[in-house]
Amino acid sequence: MSDDSSSTKRRKGSIRSKHHRLWNLSEVMKLIEGVSRYGVGRWTEIKRLLFSTSHRTSVDLKDKWRNLLRASGAYMTSKKKVKRTQKHMNLPLPPAAVCRIRELAIIHPYPRERKSKFPLRVTGTPPSATSHDTIISRSRRIASKQGYT
């Protein structure tokens, strides 16, 4: 059997499902290093540069980072939730790694904000409403109402 056939199995109706492979500490540390270097959202780049020979996909990296954030308690306010999440972790993380994940959560918030391709425009306002002529005519109307002209 090849390695590819071991990563998927057939179920009823020939639906394929991926086998779950646990993360080891060296993979987790590489992911932390990748987020540190390239930031959140650069999963394909991190995969290409740090996980090129690995079976992990860029989606696996994203999902693991999200789970690491949860496990580190970076975004949780309740200590109970943090303890419960840490209790269900497969791999205990060294305190230094947890601390680094929390630092990176501040530097590179997840999910990151996307930059819009289109600038926002106030609805109901024509594009010319901010032109120089409109501003001058509005100031003349205000001045005439106040009796300055």
Side-chain angles (χ1 to χ4, degrees):
M1 256 183 145
S2 71
D3 190 29
D4 291 344
S5 64
S6 67
S7 66
T8 59
K9 64 180 181 180
R10 293 209 177 246
R11 289 185 178 177
K12 273 188 176 178
S14 67
I15 297 172
R16 295 183 147 212
S17 164
K18 186 177 176 182
H19 280 292
H20 229 7
R21 292 188 182 166
L22 298 179
W23 285 69
N24 60 38
L25 188 58
S26 67
E27 287 179 312
V28 171
M29 297 310 286
K30 275 201 289 188
L31 179 58
I32 293 170
E33 178 62 28
V35 171
S36 175
R37 279 191 202 170
Y38 306 106
V40 171
R42 305 285 181 129
W43 308 118
T44 305
E45 193 172 347
I46 293 170
K47 158 76 176 144
R48 186 173 48 84
L49 297 171
L50 299 177
F51 291 86
S52 59
T53 59
S54 175
H55 60 276
R56 305 288 181 195
T57 65
S58 56
V59 174
D60 291 336
L61 303 181
K62 174 188 65 91
D63 291 342
K64 184 61 178 180
W65 181 250
R66 186 189 65 226
N67 292 332
L68 287 172
L69 290 174
R70 286 183 184 160
S72 71
Y75 293 133
M76 293 187 193
T77 56
S78 166
K79 287 185 181 182
K80 273 186 178 177
K81 285 182 181 178
V82 173
K83 289 289 183 192
R84 197 176 330 133
T85 305
Q86 288 174 344
K87 193 164 108 178
H88 295 291
M89 281 182 49
N90 295 327
L91 177 68
L93 291 173
V98 173
C99 192
R100 185 67 179 142
I101 292 167
R102 287 180 182 165
E103 289 172 358
L104 291 171
I106 294 168
I107 298 168
H108 304 286
Y110 179 83
R112 72 181 176 146
E113 290 184 25
R114 300 187 123 203
K115 293 180 183 173
S116 176
K117 290 181 181 177
F118 306 104
L120 294 176
R121 188 179 351 165
V122 179
T123 57
T125 306
S128 64
T130 57
S131 69
H132 183 65
D133 296 333
T134 306
I135 294 170
I136 291 173
S137 66
R138 286 179 67 198
S139 62
R140 283 187 184 147
R141 276 186 279 154
I142 293 170
S144 66
K145 283 181 184 178
Q146 294 175 349
Y148 292 116
T149 56

